[in-house]
Amino acid sequence: MHVPDGFINAPVSAATGAVAAVAVAVSLRGARRELAGAGQGVGAGAERTAPLAGLVAAFIFAVQMLNFPVAAGTSGHLLGGALAAILVGPYTGVLCVSVVLLMQGVLFADGGLTALGVNISDMAIVTTVVAYAVFRLLVKVLPRRRGSVTVASFVGALVSVPAAAVAFTAIYALGGTADVPIGKVFAAMVGVHVLIGIGEAVITALTVGAVIAVRPDLVYGARGLAKPLELRTSPLAPAGTAGSAPAPAAPAGTTTAPAAPRRSARRVWLAGIAAALVCAGGLSYYASASPDGLEKVAHDQGIDAKAKDHATKDSPLADYSVKDIADPRLAGGLAGVIGVGATLAVGTGVFVAVRRRKNAGPAESPVPAENREPAGNPAPAAEGTENPVPAVEGTGNPVPAAEGSGNA
């Protein structure tokens, strides 16, 4: 559903660009909380979230190369808003899809540069917001089980694609450059994208289900479904034994909870990278060559009458093929691998920077430096006392230190 240059006039393109810029700014603020695990009780896992968000962006890029047939002469591909929102959070999801669209437009001449605001508004914002809203509603009413997360993912993804088609129709009604009846555009866009939505739902549900089966703690939409940890005392140091000390009591009015054990996300990260490389570098060769839903509707309805060539149509990676390589399989596969690597690098860099900015802050003690006691020094004796050595129990006199001894 990548909108090319020339479909939407300049004023509406500029307006959607402003909307996209505001949405990205808001998403940056929200992503800081999501990447830091704010309010979720998963601070230890927050350190893994930024690299995983970059992985999600790279995976979406790779799977978008796999066009699947949906009707005679028409194909579809993953949009990714639902998948990103459920795996890493709605704000981070908007940024994930936006990074993908930026890389596709700049490197691969897919989606017009003047239409970047249209594409972000339609494919990143609308899909993510609609999908996550439907997902959260279903998670609240369904039983609190992992299977419910998968079911809600399916439905949210299914609804998000025709919602994006409706949004495009509305944008075209405001700024379309060709004189086409909006009713025909609406019927054609929604009709074909309902079919594409089924493929989107299947891919999203399978991916979310696979991750939640092995690491539910890494799925943003599944947070809060895990059973709370139980605190157990160790049998190695029973109370009252020599050398043991009772745990300090918690302040009144506070509760304590055991910290979740750290689990490495390296296997999931490596598996995700491998899957993305296989999809982009190998399976993409077998993707459907039929035009996608928007291209098909644009050709049939005449929307593309004033379409313009992409500004980077002569890019070395244009049309997802490395220029000057004769073998189409090698040229396409290498372009896909380059795209995965570039999207992973840019996405991870953005999300790490966002998380670090959230975590950045003064680590100094609230006590001014000039008022702090030197480390290791005892507190001064109370005013009026002469000898800090404690008295022997039962006597009123302090015990003097032996001359030359090291004891006080």
Side-chain angles (χ1 to χ4, degrees), residues 224-360:
L225 297 181
K227 294 181 179 180
L229 297 175
E230 296 181 0
L231 180 62
R232 298 180 180 179
T233 58
S234 172
L236 299 178
T241 58
S244 65
T254 63
T255 58
T256 60
R262 289 179 178 269
R263 297 177 61 189
S264 173
R266 181 177 300 175
R267 291 184 178 180
V268 174
W269 194 89
L270 292 176
I273 287 295
L277 292 175
V278 169
C279 289
L283 297 181
S284 60
Y285 179 77
Y286 303 98
S288 174
S290 299
D292 67 17
L294 176 60
E295 291 175 323
K296 179 65 173 176
V297 171
H299 177 74
D300 292 346
Q301 302 298 327
I303 296 176
D304 58 355
K306 296 185 179 181
K308 299 178 181 178
D309 290 337
H310 199 283
T312 61
K313 65 177 182 177
D314 296 325
S315 163
L317 299 174
D319 296 325
Y320 300 94
S321 179
V322 178
K323 192 176 181 180
D324 298 330
I325 294 183
D327 187 343
R329 177 177 296 184
L330 178 60
L334 183 57
V337 170
I338 293 173
V340 168
T343 306
L344 178 66
V346 173
T348 302
V350 168
F351 297 124
V352 168
V354 170
R355 181 175 61 82
R356 285 180 176 175
R357 183 172 180 181
K358 171 65 179 178
N359 294 340

Side-chain angles (χ1 to χ4, degrees), residues 200-225:
E200 177 102 10
V202 171
I203 295 172
T204 301
L206 288 176
T207 306
V208 172
V211 178
I212 205 172
V214 294
R215 292 295 302 272
D217 57 307
L218 298 181
V219 179
Y220 183 91
R223 291 179 179 178
L225 297 181

Side-chain angles (χ1 to χ4, degrees), residues 113-133:
L113 296 182
T114 62
L116 184 60
V118 175
N119 286 320
I120 290 177
S121 299
D122 194 23
M123 296 177 63
I125 301 170
V126 172
T127 58
T128 301
V129 171
V130 171
Y132 197 73

Side-chain angles (χ1 to χ4, degrees), residues 172-191:
Y172 193 83
L174 295 174
T177 56
D179 187 12
V180 180
I182 297 303
K184 291 185 177 181
V185 175
F186 176 85
M189 284 292 294
V190 174

Side-chain angles (χ1 to χ4, degrees), residues 155-175:
V155 178
L158 176 64
V159 175
S160 69
V161 178
V166 172
F168 169 79
T169 304
I171 293 173
Y172 193 83
L174 295 174

